[in-house]
Amino acid sequence: MNTTIAREDGPDLAAIEDATFGPSITPIILPRWLDALDWLVLAVLNVALAFEVVLVFTNTLARTIFDTPIMLGIEETSQLLLIVIAFLGGAIAYRRGDFMSIKILVDSMPDKVRVFLNATSEWVVIVNSLVIGVFSIPLIQANAGAKTTMLSLDHIWLTLPMTLGTAMFVIFALIALWRAPRAASIGSAVLVAAMLAVVLLSKDAAWVDTSWYYIYLVAIFIVLLAIGVPIGFVLASVGLGAIVVTGGAPMTAVAMNAQRGAGGFIFLALPFFILAGFIMDRAGIGARIVDFLASMMGHVRGGMLQVMIVGMYISSGISGSKAADMATIGIPMNRLLNQRGYKKSECAALLAASAAMGEAIPPSIAVLVLGSVTSVSTGALFLAGFLPAAVIAASLMLLVYVRARFSGWEPTERASLAVVRSTGKSAILPLLMPVVLIGGIVGGVGTPTEVSTFAVAYGLGLGLLYGKFKLKDMWTVLSESSVLSGMIFFTLAGSTIFSWALSLEGVPQAIAGAVGDLGPKLFLPVVIILTIIMGALLESLVTIVILGPLLLPVALQFGIDPLQYGIVMVEAFGIGGILPPIGIALYVSCTICKTTVEQAMKPLFWYLAVMFVALLFVASIPWITTALPNAFNMKG
């Protein structure tokens, strides 16, 4: 892990992301002649993202006010934008070092071994990119002349970004290899070539029909994950390995599924909410919320830690991005807690736990993805997440109260009524944002995707009002959003290849059958444990993409409400994301609080234990999840 620390005077999400993600060689410095291409691609991404936000926002307003949309075919433009973001934005994210990968083992190795593994990772990226890119060309040829229904967009434009983006991945990885030591580059090339030869020679072999086939797939997954290959490419590699060995489908279908994995209209909410999060990060909204909560709760024993829990609950209802939530609340809270003598390890542990708690609070990106890949209503999931998260938050607050009595955490002086009024007035507009967003969905103003554009507009308005956000900052936040969204959507494309390839061999059905055999009483506890483990290993939305649709039919068969199933899975995913030693969100909290994972682990286990018990409690009482959706007549 890198150890870049956020600035003290306010949240710096760029620094937080640098501390969290990275390809095997970080970053890739381009030759001067490629800098212009890098800037041009980013400019296209930024303009396209801004245009789509304005288009969806304007269209939603027009439909709400005048009962007629300005433009038809927005779903078609959104599909094109998401494919561009996934592959061109993904390539830029890879070059900048924003891809998710598990680097604990690699970072612990001697320098020569680490360089060799880094080079191996680059060759894996090259092989996957070449396969997807080369087989996207026949797809372009096959779609030549076909046009979309509403806007008559040539289907070539829906595939060309994939071809260009994979070419950029190859170029960037080759540049990294050229600058690496020759012995590492050549040696790793020989190793990857040998691995490819084994896969190709195993095609249609007799052992493919035995249990050795599953051992082979697991081995690919574990080895590539351990050597620091970005998670999107790990999943694509497993999928490609399965297809090559079994011959279960033509290779052009790989490109088709990668393109499909970029998502549809509802996925558009992800880059919109990410953009809103970056805007609000620069607007300094978190400090206003923290100051108000501190004036209200700081005087109780352990009150400042209680402020962090409540602050994260509120912040999670604003941006949807876990990193954004942690930066928005964590940075101002870290200063206050340090001033009052709290240990940094305690701050980091509780910040991580609070972020995991808020995973189900709308507009959570995990909830959006779950609604996108299953038949469960996203709007109903949004309402369903509030009470379960509140139960877990209350459990954390109870633990803080108990620990405060034994740890000697002294309360602060009660704030005067004038201070409460002043800080409350300052925080009222930020606190209204969740009301506006959820009210827009429940009130029928728009879908989660459409309402996400209101989050962008609201955040921009607050930033300008408070004087913390300048219009010149817009390009920066657009760039940050485009790059982070590119990493997310490329990883989703890789996960689509993975899940599709395994489904051809009946692997998901076998897993679902095994879980189903456990019976209805053990189903949700097993889902919790399985999701926590996968969430810790992958720490990405891939967990939701794979498990969400896989186990939903089993839940319905057992008569489990789909909303309860979905929210329990999302909260378990959040816990997995902070599970030591590889939960990436834990590294983010430690970076913000300026401590180490080793120091934060001891207090974190107290919070993990309480969250696990609280989640089992939520899983055992369906009413907690279904009460709000039923009250607003929104069914799963």
Side-chain angles (χ1 to χ4, degrees):
M1 287 290 170
N2 299 326
T3 55
T4 309
I5 301 297
R7 65 180 187 268
E8 271 298 304
D9 60 338
D12 187 351
L13 270 182
I16 300 302
E17 297 299 339
D18 286 347
T20 312
F21 307 120
S24 48
I25 298 177
T26 311
I28 300 170
I29 307 300
L30 296 181
R32 185 172 297 178
W33 63 273
L34 268 177
D35 271 339
L37 174 63
D38 189 76
W39 184 91
L40 178 62
V41 170
L42 192 57
V44 170
L45 290 169
N46 291 354
V47 171
L49 178 58
F51 173 77
E52 196 72 19
V53 169
V54 172
L55 185 62
V56 174
F57 179 78
T58 307
N59 212 56
T60 305
L61 276 183
R63 194 190 65 242
T64 303
I65 297 173
F66 303 111
D67 199 27
T68 179
I70 292 176
M71 178 181 176
L72 300 175
I74 288 183
E75 291 196 17
E76 294 175 1
T77 63
S78 67
Q79 185 181 6
L80 175 59
L81 171 65
L82 293 176
I83 292 171
V84 169
I85 286 177
F87 293 95
L88 297 181
I92 299 298
Y94 179 76
R95 201 276 299 172
R96 291 189 171 200
D98 286 335
F99 258 62
M100 291 184 293
S101 58
I102 306 299
K103 298 161 67 176
I104 295 174
L105 179 63
V106 176
D107 288 345
S108 66
M109 294 290 180
D111 288 345
K112 288 185 178 180
V113 177
R114 185 168 63 249
V115 170
F116 177 82
L117 294 179
N118 285 341
T120 303
S121 176
E122 301 294 356
W123 281 116
V124 172
V125 169
I126 289 172
V127 170
N128 280 275
S129 300
L130 283 174
V131 171
I132 297 172
V134 167
F135 285 100
S136 70
I137 295 174
L139 196 58
I140 291 177
Q141 295 170 336
N143 289 333
K147 297 184 182 298
T148 60
T149 305
M150 300 299 299
L151 301 179
S152 295
L153 292 173
D154 198 308
H155 275 230
I156 289 176
W157 294 107
L158 299 179
T159 309
L160 188 60
M162 179 164 53
T163 310
L164 297 176
T166 50
M168 290 174 64
F169 275 112
V170 172
I171 292 171
F172 294 154
L174 285 174
I175 290 172
L177 286 166
W178 179 258
R179 290 176 175 168
R182 287 291 174 268
S185 297
I186 296 173
S188 59
V190 172
L191 174 62
V192 172
M195 294 169 63
L196 278 175
V198 170
V199 172
L200 292 172
L201 291 173
S202 299
K203 185 175 182 180
D204 297 325
W207 61 264
V208 173
D209 295 324
T210 70
S211 58
W212 285 103
Y213 172 69
Y214 301 104
I215 296 174
Y216 152 80
L217 294 179
V218 171
I220 293 177
F221 178 83
I222 292 176
V223 170
L224 295 183
L225 199 67
I227 67 174
V229 175
I231 289 171
F233 286 100
V234 172
L235 296 166
S237 297
V238 175
L240 288 173
I243 293 298
V244 170
V245 167
T246 62
M251 295 304 290
T252 50
V254 172
M256 290 176 62
N257 278 276
Q259 178 177 308
R260 179 173 63 86
F265 179 69
I266 193 167
F267 270 124
L268 201 59
L270 271 70
F272 289 175
F273 276 124
I274 289 171
L275 176 60
F278 278 110
I279 290 173
M280 287 180 281
D281 163 47
R282 288 185 172 261
I285 287 174
R288 292 172 179 265
I289 295 174
V290 165
D291 288 343
F292 173 58
L293 294 176
S295 70
M296 294 283 289
M297 303 169 58
H299 59 278
V300 302
R301 190 177 292 274
M304 294 309 296
L305 292 180
Q306 310 281 22
V307 168
M308 179 178 285
I309 298 170
V310 177
M312 284 299 297
Y313 188 95
I314 294 171
S315 177
S316 296
I318 294 178
S319 75
S321 168
K322 188 184 300 182
D325 297 337
M326 295 171 82
T328 299
I329 298 299
I331 291 176
M333 276 304 310
N334 186 48
R335 290 198 298 268
L336 290 176
L337 290 169
N338 287 342
Q339 290 169 7
R340 287 161 175 78
Y342 288 89
K343 291 181 179 179
K344 293 180 179 180
S345 57
E346 192 76 39
C347 304
L350 185 56
L351 178 60
S354 301
M357 168 274 298
E359 196 70 69
I361 301 173
S364 163
I365 291 176
V367 171
L368 283 166
V369 171
L370 180 65
S372 302
V373 300
T374 67
S375 57
V376 186
S377 163
T378 304
L381 281 169
F382 271 21
L383 283 177
F386 280 111
L387 290 183
V391 168
I392 298 174
S395 302
L396 290 174
M397 294 177 76
L398 179 60
L399 176 60
V400 166
Y401 180 80
V402 173
R403 283 175 59 79
R405 299 193 67 84
F406 289 97
S407 302
W409 298 334
E410 295 298 329
T412 60
E413 184 179 347
R414 181 187 290 269
S416 67
L417 189 59
V419 171
V420 174
R421 282 203 203 98
S422 174
T423 55
K425 184 178 179 181
S426 176
I428 189 168
L429 291 179
L431 292 173
L432 281 175
M433 175 170 270
V435 178
V436 172
L437 296 182
I438 302 304
I441 295 171
V442 174
V445 174
T447 64
T449 300
E450 292 170 331
V451 171
S452 64
T453 61
F454 287 79
V456 175
Y458 196 98
L460 185 60
L462 289 184
L464 295 173
L465 176 66
Y466 297 149
K468 295 273 188 173
F469 187 91
K470 309 297 182 185
L471 286 178
K472 64 181 181 180
D473 296 327
M474 199 65 207
W475 188 261
T476 302
V477 296
L478 281 169
S479 299
E480 292 170 338
S481 304
S482 296
V483 171
L484 180 56
S485 299
M487 179 273 293
I488 292 173
F489 279 102
F490 183 86
T491 303
L492 291 175
S495 71
T496 303
I497 296 174
F498 173 85
S499 57
W500 161 74
L502 296 190
S503 67
L504 293 177
E505 304 304 316
V507 175
Q509 292 83 352
I511 296 173
V515 174
D517 290 341
L518 297 172
K521 290 185 178 179
L522 289 177
F523 176 73
L524 283 179
V526 169
V527 167
I528 290 172
I529 294 171
L530 191 60
T531 306
I532 288 175
I533 293 171
M534 285 192 63
L537 288 174
L538 298 178
E539 211 300 308
S540 75
L541 300 171
V542 173
T543 304
I544 302 294
V545 173
I546 295 171
L547 289 183
L550 173 64
L551 299 178
L552 177 59
V554 183
L556 296 176
Q557 177 186 332
F558 287 147
I560 295 171
D561 192 290
L563 295 176
Q564 186 190 19
Y565 161 78
I567 294 302
V568 165
M569 176 175 284
V570 166
E571 284 289 4
F573 164 71
I575 294 175
I578 65 170
L579 198 67
I582 56 178
I584 292 180
L586 177 58
Y587 287 85
V588 178
S589 69
C590 290
T591 299
I592 291 173
C593 297
K594 301 181 182 179
T595 188
T596 65
V597 170
E598 291 77 14
Q599 292 173 326
M601 280 173 61
K602 184 177 179 180
L604 178 63
F605 279 120
W606 285 100
Y607 297 117
L608 283 172
V610 166
M611 292 180 71
F612 184 76
V613 172
L615 185 53
L616 287 176
F617 179 74
V618 169
S620 65
I621 303 179
W623 179 89
I624 298 173
T625 305
T626 58
L628 282 179
N630 288 340
F632 288 92
N633 199 30
M634 297 186 74
K635 306 298 181 182

